[in-house]
Amino acid sequence: MFSHFTLAAILATQGPTGTITGRVLAAGSELPIAEAIVTVEGIPARATTAASGTFRLEGIPPGIYTVRAVAVGYAPAVRTDVAVGTARPVEVAFLL
């Protein structure tokens, strides 16, 4: 018998997916933060920011998510209620 999460993962790979893009910046200076880790709670999506602070997470099943950004030397930041659809990427900005 499949667990709820296993079934959700199987169904997610069979349908259209969405994309989360964005930037991670330092709160005081608004300079980009490279090598920050961006994750989506509840699924194994993970991205590392580029030197420009940008990231892109693809293959995200449509739904409402909590997205987290962490970087060494900064307090983590969380965005709740991030709505992912299939029509266009959703942008999320973080100030750490």
Side-chain angles (χ1 to χ4, degrees), residues 32-96:
I33 299 175
E35 303 296 320
I37 304 297
V38 182
T39 57
V40 180
E41 289 186 8
I43 62 172
R46 176 185 172 116
T48 302
T49 58
S52 61
T54 59
F55 67 90
R56 184 174 185 90
L57 292 157
E58 297 179 324
I60 309 298
I64 307 295
Y65 294 99
T66 297
V67 182
R68 178 181 308 273
V70 296
V72 174
Y74 296 90
V78 176
R79 294 288 177 264
T80 58
D81 300 322
V82 176
V84 176
T86 59
R88 62 183 175 175
V90 60
E91 279 198 45
V92 180
F94 292 98
L95 291 175
L96 303 188

